[in-house]
Amino acid sequence: MKLITSLSLLASSCCVMAQQSTGTEFTPASQRAIELTQHTILVDTHIDVPYRLEHQWEDVSQAAGGDFDYPRAVKGGLNAPFMSIYIPAGLEKTGGSYALANKLIDYVEAIVGRAPDKFAIADSVSDVHAHFKAGKISLPMGMENGSPIEGKLENLTHFYQRGVRYITLAHSQSNHISDSSYDLRRQWQGLSPFGKELVSEMNKIGMMIDVSHISDDAFYQVMALSKTPVIASHSSLRKYTPGFERNMDDKMLLALKDNGGVIQINFGSSFVTATAGAWGDQFKAKRSEVAQNNAADSPVVKDFRKAYLAKNPYPFASLANVLDHIDHVVKLIGIEHVGIGSDYDGVGDSLPIGLKDVASYPNLVQGLLDRGYSDTDIIKILSGNVLRVWQDVEDYAAKH
């Protein structure tokens, strides 16, 4: 979940009011693109359904709100979405991370319990393949923010046993494991001593390490320590968003290649275009100025967002922008190192034109076809690459 980005802070109630982007046109999905998504395992490593349900419960086995539900997932060909067990960074200090993580896992189990004919928890790569053959949607889980580990290796085992298969080491603030890319206070200068120990234990237990959100120093320390390939479960490229440390630069991509890992591209507009990020920064600055000079209950403060948008439409990214990120990874480090980590239900209404919800994957596939990608390469992007990493992690744990 990316509600801490400048874009997402306002997306949930504003961005639907206007659409402005360069290159907004996209080719509607052809029958070939639709068939590719329908007959291929499609893994998206980051969808924030559990925390969305924490705010308002919905039965996502039926048509529902947000970016994800069963009918739209079926339409889009999504059959293996990682449910994000998102833990707000503030709980590191106030407490409650462990309890919330277990509660969100309960929600995922409840989804399956309500519709066992539609969903199944996936604990392994073989589970994903079995569910696909059975016509069910796999629900593997990833924990976004390692705060619930609470410095106890037994908690790592606990969450593994509950179905968590990757952990994003930190989120928007540094925690007891790692510094965050968003946090100016680099208390550990990378990983903490416990964080370094945790990396080794994650390798041994068969838990994928997620390097999204962590600082550059922490990233390189993970690269040096991990004996298995890692994932960036929902990150994009700094090449297109200069100065945005949350994304990965070319040097990091090259290190990721050496590690054998994979970057799963985030769809959020501020992750794929500098224009969207700059718009968010300007919005926040102006909002702070207005708030300082006016009473909190004044109309100018209450109606600021609506008035600002009327004069400054939000610059949505395009499908082409997302494809540019995939292209760059492929050209720099190869087709084996890129996948999909959309951040659906985590970036509000900031999603690019053409990729508005989980029914939209055929549009992405059509874009890849239009750019000359073969069916074989598209299958690697849709699932082959991340399943290869997951299998490597499983195999290492089986030996150690």
Side-chain angles (χ1 to χ4, degrees):
M1 177 167 273
K2 296 296 161 292
L3 296 179
I4 43 77
T5 67
S6 58
L7 169 58
S8 315
L9 283 166
L10 42 128
S12 58
S13 62
C14 71
C15 293
V16 295
M17 299 175 61
Q19 292 189 357
Q20 174 183 324
S21 176
T22 57
T24 58
E25 298 80 9
F26 60 92
T27 305
S30 64
Q31 189 61 33
R32 181 184 175 196
I34 293 170
E35 288 178 355
L36 261 174
T37 57
Q38 291 296 324
H39 298 113
T40 301
I41 294 176
L42 199 166
V43 178
D44 187 322
T45 46
H46 200 88
I47 296 185
D48 278 295
V49 169
Y51 198 72
R52 168 186 141 199
L53 299 182
E54 169 71 357
H55 284 283
Q56 182 176 351
W57 175 263
E58 294 182 278
D59 183 359
V60 296
S61 70
Q62 311 294 330
D67 303 329
F68 173 95
D69 56 37
Y70 181 79
R72 285 179 290 169
V74 170
K75 182 178 179 181
L78 176 64
N79 41 53
F82 271 79
M83 297 285 100
S84 173
I85 307 304
Y86 163 70
I87 307 301
L91 295 184
E92 176 81 5
K93 293 183 178 180
T94 63
S97 291
Y98 180 85
L100 178 59
N102 282 288
K103 186 178 182 182
L104 297 185
I105 294 170
D106 289 344
Y107 290 162
V108 179
E109 292 177 345
I111 292 170
V112 175
R114 282 173 172 261
D117 58 323
K118 298 177 179 178
F119 299 106
I121 301 291
D123 292 330
S124 65
V125 175
S126 62
D127 281 350
V128 172
H129 285 286
H131 299 159
F132 179 68
K133 290 180 181 178
K136 295 183 181 183
I137 292 179
S138 291
L139 297 181
M141 287 178 276
M143 181 182 290
E144 185 178 21
N145 187 358
S147 182
I149 301 301
E150 295 184 343
K152 303 173 184 177
L153 293 179
E154 57 264 36
N155 286 347
L156 173 66
T157 302
H158 168 79
F159 287 117
Y160 182 87
Q161 292 172 342
R162 292 217 64 189
V164 173
R165 287 300 178 266
Y166 76 70
I167 296 177
T168 318
L169 300 182
H171 191 250
S172 60
Q173 298 174 21
S174 298
N175 60 17
H176 69 284
I177 298 168
S178 174
D179 289 337
S180 164
S181 62
Y182 286 114
D183 197 337
L184 296 179
R185 301 163 299 169
R186 303 299 166 95
Q187 62 173 321
W188 306 115
Q189 301 302 307
L191 299 175
S192 71
F194 176 77
K196 293 174 181 178
E197 182 182 7
L198 185 66
V199 166
S200 176
E201 292 301 317
M202 289 174 70
N203 285 168
K204 292 176 184 177
I205 202 171
M207 184 82 77
M208 287 184 284
I209 299 166
D210 179 15
V211 296
S212 290
H213 279 287
I214 63 176
S215 69
D216 287 8
D217 286 343
F219 168 84
Y220 285 112
Q221 289 170 21
V222 169
M223 293 297 99
L225 292 169
S226 181
K227 304 300 183 183
T228 66
V230 306
I231 63 169
S233 71
H234 57 306
S235 294
S236 297
L237 307 183
R238 218 174 292 176
K239 171 182 171 65
Y240 301 102
T241 57
F244 186 31
E245 188 179 343
R246 170 65 180 81
N247 279 344
M248 294 176 65
D249 65 20
D250 285 1
K251 182 181 176 184
M252 297 168 81
L253 291 178
L254 292 169
L256 187 72
K257 178 182 180 179
D258 290 342
N259 165 265
V262 61
I263 178 172
Q264 305 285 102
I265 299 299
N266 190 313
F267 292 173
S269 288
S270 66
F271 286 82
V272 294
T273 69
T275 303
W279 186 96
D281 292 340
Q282 292 164 6
F283 173 89
K284 287 197 299 180
K286 186 63 177 177
R287 182 182 57 185
S288 296
E289 178 185 333
V290 169
Q292 289 175 0
N293 296 322
N294 297 274
D297 59 351
S298 66
V300 68
V301 172
K302 288 184 176 181
D303 299 332
F304 171 74
R305 183 171 291 169
K306 182 177 179 179
Y308 188 86
L309 276 165
K311 294 182 178 180
N312 306 276
Y314 180 75
F316 287 98
S318 67
L319 172 59
N321 295 138
V322 175
L323 292 168
D324 288 344
H325 285 251
I326 294 174
D327 279 350
H328 184 70
V329 177
V330 172
K331 291 174 183 176
L332 184 67
I333 62 173
I335 190 67
E336 295 81 11
H337 302 283
V338 65
I340 299 170
S342 64
D343 216 346
Y344 281 133
D345 278 325
V347 288
D349 293 328
S350 72
L351 292 157
I353 295 169
L355 292 172
K356 291 299 186 183
D357 61 22
V358 295
S360 303
Y361 298 103
N363 295 337
L364 180 74
V365 171
Q366 185 62 51
L368 293 169
L369 290 170
D370 291 343
R371 294 194 178 198
Y373 286 83
S374 68
D375 290 8
T376 299
D377 285 346
I378 291 171
I379 291 169
K380 289 180 180 180
I381 293 170
L382 295 183
S383 63
N385 293 334
V386 73
L387 290 179
R388 182 258 307 164
V389 169
W390 190 358
Q391 189 64 62
D392 286 349
V393 170
E394 287 185 0
D395 291 346
Y396 181 88
K399 295 176 182 178
H400 295 84

